[in-house]
Amino acid sequence: MNRVRRRLLLLPLAVTGLLTGCGIQTEIRQCQLPEDFNSRDDASKVDYMMKQVSPDSVARFICNGALGKINGIRIDTIAIAVAHAYANYNDSSLILFSREFDDYSSNLELADKMRIYLMSGLSDPKRLGYELGLEYVDHIRADSMQVKDVKEELEAFKAACSDDTLTYVRFIKGFKTALRLDHTRDLSEEIYNAFINY
């Protein structure tokens, strides 16, 4: 169920004069985008969205815009977009934005998660692969992933790392470390046996 929910949330948002949320239980309300929206800088785009939708929706907007998942709209520098939100939200709005940005980015598919982490500077590039690998077993468990699902995601991640084989190698090392540590816990034997020698 979580996997289906995440995929629905990641579907590109249709932008044809209106930006509407496509997700389950999201608060992206309809908002009329100005004609010059795409020509604005990232901070201005975020500023406009902050006045139109809830903080958690702004967090998803930034992530999806940076990943190119919003048809016709792009966030070029995620650090600028996030910094603008942090500088202009306060109290509960800032907490909601921050929590959703962290949760949403950490629940993306591996390749997109790596891209967001790299673009936002959330992780040391030299440690990123290993950290993603260590976290991946929790992702498998939380989403009740099957061997087929894991293989598909690992293949997509490997393709995304084609110019950075070290990140992929470090990921596999972290993944196998986590598999060994969780082997006697609630991780299925099928998952363990399929990937311990991957």
Side-chain angles (χ1 to χ4, degrees), residues 51-138:
K51 295 170 182 166
Q52 303 298 317
V53 298
S54 62
D56 56 326
S57 295
V58 172
R60 292 188 295 272
F61 168 79
I62 291 171
C63 289
N64 287 326
L67 292 169
K69 293 182 178 288
I70 302 175
N71 190 22
I73 294 175
R74 183 93 184 151
I75 295 293
D76 296 312
T77 309
I78 198 169
I80 290 173
V82 171
H84 184 82
Y86 271 96
N88 291 281
Y89 276 134
N90 53 43
D91 303 330
S92 59
S93 293
L94 181 58
I95 292 169
L96 183 57
F97 171 83
S98 179
R99 183 182 300 136
E100 181 64 10
F101 184 84
D102 290 344
D103 289 348
Y104 191 75
S105 59
S106 68
N107 284 306
L108 291 166
E109 299 285 336
L110 267 175
D112 286 341
K113 183 176 179 179
M114 177 184 69
R115 289 171 60 203
I116 285 288
Y117 281 20
L118 288 172
M119 287 186 285
S120 61
L122 290 175
S123 182
D124 177 352
K126 291 181 181 177
R127 294 179 48 93
L128 178 60
Y130 189 69
E131 290 169 358
L132 288 173
L134 289 173
E135 295 171 4
Y136 193 57
V137 169
D138 287 336

Side-chain angles (χ1 to χ4, degrees), residues 129-150:
Y130 189 69
E131 290 169 358
L132 288 173
L134 289 173
E135 295 171 4
Y136 193 57
V137 169
D138 287 336
H139 175 69
I140 292 170
R141 185 183 295 111
D143 286 359
S144 303
M145 294 173 74
Q146 304 300 312
V147 169
K148 175 181 166 288
D149 302 322
V150 176

